[in-house]
Amino acid sequence: MPAIDYRELYVGGQWTHPATADTIAVHSPTTEELIGSVPRASEPDVDAAVAAARAAFDEPGGWASWHPKQRGEALEQFAAELDARGAETAARVSMQNGMPIWLAQQFETIFPPLLLRYYSDVMNSAPVEEERPGMLGGTSLVSRQPVGVVGAIVPWNVPQGISFLKVAPALAAGCTVVLKPAEQTVLDAFLMAEAAVAAGLPAGVLNVVPGGADIGAYLVSHPGIDKISFTGSTTTGRAIAETCGRLLRPVTLELGGKSAAIVLDDADLGASIESFFGATLLNNGQICWLSTRVLAPRSRYTEIVDTITDLARSLTIGDPLDPKTKIGPLVSSRQRERVEGYIAKGKLEGRLTTGGSRPPGFDQGWFVEPTVFADVDNNATISREEIFGPVLSVVPYGDESEAIAIANDSAYGLGGTVWSSDAGRATEVARKVRSGTVGVNHYVNEPVAPFGGIKDSGMGRELGPEGLHAYQVYKTIYLPPA
Ligand code: NAD
């Protein structure tokens, strides 16, 4: 397959020459071959992108001043152009980060246009301005205004889905965006830019600046930026929060996780095994909200460990472009080394029941077997730290209150699941889990409901109407008494 090469950047609504000749090369995690390259944005490119976004936001008659219905029509065009490129988008993501193609068709193809349409509807369904009769005489005119120019920084694990968690509500609210994709997944971002060009999105409304940590940090502190929205590791999130704190710049942070799957003593895990897979090992274990600490009751411990072990053994490992593949390669050799480091620790901290190695027969690619450790203490490194690979730790517990205490004994608080034959009982347990989101017998990022974390998992919310409000600021005009 010929490599996908881009020579220009999408800045200011058109393809522009980059300031330097630097490029980002993308390699397949499956074959290790070069699959494409794009220009690497440098500081002058970010300056140009921010200036274009600033102009599109500030100029009279610009994007921010459009009626929400008019913006909705433009976003519908954008959504239609994304739809038209859906199959190619899924394939590019799979080729770059190893996401199984059937999952890419959901997260990367269906989700982004769905979010554009959803946020157009949310924006149009409630007035942005209301009159409140005052208590001290007069009336207050309270409105929600777009926050301004948004710097959006995203990781490689779900590149399109996560980009649109930010781009869709920001654009619907009337903000303009400078998007910085991760270096590992830039080829899909250029397809997004092609869709924006074909849709005729006004100049400067969306700009794409591919680059690494340095260009991300430059964007975060850029004087032309009004808000940062970041998804990525807790370490990077902390650094960004420090900068935003100093600048008093609003910031949304979606960070790491180490969520618990609480398996109650009446659970029929076998009957919900597909959902359990989706909540624990999806995307080769590279999703922030996965329930990677499995809490199993001592009364049924052996049976539950066996069920999870059988699940891990049953998963087809292979080329992510093959629809039969359940587990593809990790994103990079560096990521595999990191995961293998945790597996080595796990062999000291728990009892390996399956996996633990590179799968036989895969001479190329960054593959790791789905791996399960049983008998793990909740204080072990593999219970406390995010591994970001197909590795589960099973922690035994006695009664329900101990399960909840173990679930809550974590630096993180992003996801989590409760498994039971009694959904009402599971919901009561879910209420007691200290986390931004918890699933009962399944886990799904539902567009209408807020998603985000507490503690080291971040702050702020995406999705739901709350995800739109993240890109709005309140403004009050005090009207005089009549
Ligand atoms: P990362 O933090 O290294 O990188 C994420 C993005 O930030 C990339 O675009 C990167 O180039 C950029 N970046 C790195 N350093 C920066 C800096 N100092 N300033 C500005 N930008 C910088 O994370 P990663 O390894 O690419 O992604 C994996 C992590 O992301 C995991 O910890 C995972 O849990 C987390 N994640 C969280 C969510 C969520 O919604 N909570 C979703 C997906 C991934």
Side-chain angles (χ1 to χ4, degrees):
M1 198 190 307
I4 303 164
D5 289 312
Y6 288 90
R7 303 285 163 86
E8 292 173 312
L9 295 171
Y10 177 59
V11 169
Q14 53 190 341
W15 296 104
T16 60
H17 288 299
T20 75
D22 277 3
T23 57
I24 298 173
V26 183
H27 289 85
S28 157
T30 312
T31 65
E32 302 174 31
E33 287 165 356
L34 181 72
I35 53 171
S37 74
V38 305
R40 179 184 289 281
S42 59
E43 292 183 4
D45 298 313
V46 175
D47 293 341
V50 174
R54 199 66 270 159
F57 183 80
D58 291 330
E59 69 196 13
W63 183 252
S65 70
W66 286 22
H67 191 281
K69 279 209 166 50
Q70 200 186 351
R71 284 202 297 269
E73 282 158 21
L75 296 184
E76 174 51 43
Q77 299 262 309
F78 190 16
E81 293 295 341
L82 290 174
D83 282 337
R85 290 162 180 78
E88 175 69 9
T89 302
R92 283 196 190 181
V93 171
S94 254
M95 282 176 353
Q96 293 172 105
N97 73 359
M99 178 185 287
I101 188 73
W102 51 269
L103 184 62
Q105 284 156 357
Q106 298 168 35
F107 281 10
E108 307 291 272
T109 298
I110 295 175
F111 210 50
L114 181 149
L115 290 177
L116 284 173
R117 293 179 174 119
Y118 169 70
Y119 277 110
S120 295
D121 286 350
V122 174
M123 188 63 199
N124 278 297
S125 64
V128 288
E129 189 168 277
E130 62 170 296
E131 266 188 42
R132 295 188 194 168
M135 300 170 74
L136 306 175
T139 301
S140 292
L141 207 53
V142 179
S143 63
R144 289 181 282 132
Q145 309 271 318
V147 67
V149 176
V150 174
I153 300 173
V154 297
W156 44 261
N157 62 334
V158 188
Q160 286 297 296
I162 292 174
S163 293
F164 279 90
L165 288 177
K166 305 174 189 314
V167 169
L171 297 191
C175 297
T176 57
V177 175
V178 177
L179 173 71
K180 194 206 80 63
E183 287 170 287
Q184 297 86 341
T185 45
V186 281
L187 303 178
D188 55 292
F190 278 70
L191 206 54
M192 177 206 290
E194 284 180 19
V197 171
L201 211 58
V205 165
L206 177 64
N207 308 270
V208 181
V209 288
D214 51 346
I215 220 65
Y218 185 70
L219 180 63
V220 169
S221 59
H222 200 287
I225 293 287
D226 296 305
K227 154 131 195 171
I228 290 293
S229 182
F230 170 75
T231 297
S233 63
T234 296
T235 305
T236 305
R238 256 186 235 290
I240 289 176
E242 281 177 19
T243 304
C244 289
R246 181 166 44 79
L247 297 171
L248 294 180
R249 183 161 292 173
V251 60
T252 296
L253 300 168
E254 300 286 1
L255 310 176
K258 189 74 191 183
S259 303
I262 303 180
V263 182
L264 294 179
D265 56 12
D266 64 350
D268 185 354
L269 223 45
S272 19
I273 205 70
E274 272 293 312
S275 300
F276 190 81
F277 164 72
T280 56
L281 288 164
L282 205 63
N283 201 26
N284 320 326
Q286 299 172 135
I287 307 184
C288 49
W289 46 253
L290 289 173
S291 297
T292 50
R293 271 187 306 149
V294 183
L295 313 190
R298 286 209 174 80
S299 57
R300 290 180 55 204
Y301 187 69
T302 307
E303 176 208 332
I304 287 166
V305 169
D306 287 350
T307 304
I308 296 167
T309 302
D310 289 348
L311 165 67
R313 280 197 190 125
S314 74
L315 300 171
T316 307
I317 302 171
D319 181 343
L321 291 169
D322 182 339
K324 289 193 296 297
T325 294
K326 284 286 177 71
I327 297 284
L330 298 180
V331 68
S332 62
S333 63
R334 195 172 132 240
Q335 185 69 9
R336 180 165 72 173
E337 273 167 32
R338 191 183 128 94
V339 171
E340 286 180 334
Y342 280 111
I343 290 175
K345 276 204 183 88
K347 287 177 179 168
L348 304 172
E349 292 180 329
R351 172 170 59 90
L352 181 74
T353 69
T354 188
S357 308
R358 298 177 183 185
F362 289 84
D363 299 336
Q364 285 169 328
W366 318 122
F367 291 91
V368 170
E369 289 175 326
T371 298
V372 177
F373 289 103
D375 310 348
V376 185
D377 190 277
N378 195 49
N379 287 317
T381 306
I382 60 166
S383 296
R384 302 207 82 80
E385 295 184 13
E386 182 178 53
I387 297 175
F388 233 53
V391 183
L392 300 181
S393 308
V394 187
V395 180
Y397 71 84
D399 61 11
E400 203 176 281
S401 60
E402 192 192 357
I404 294 163
I406 295 173
N408 292 342
D409 180 10
S410 171
Y412 296 106
L414 183 59
T417 43
V418 185
W419 304 84
S420 168
S421 300
D422 178 345
R425 179 184 173 205
T427 306
E428 286 314 306
V429 172
R431 287 186 205 282
K432 295 177 187 142
V433 175
R434 291 206 60 225
S435 177
T437 60
V438 186
V440 170
N441 291 336
H442 82 317
Y443 186 97
V444 62
N445 283 147
E446 172 51 59
V448 306
F451 165 79
I454 59 170
K455 302 193 271 183
D456 287 2
S457 294
M459 50 194 184
R461 291 293 178 267
E462 297 188 310
L463 291 176
E466 296 80 2
L468 180 76
H469 299 161
Y471 296 96
Q472 295 175 317
V473 281
Y474 287 103
K475 176 172 180 181
T476 300
I477 299 176
Y478 304 116
L479 299 175

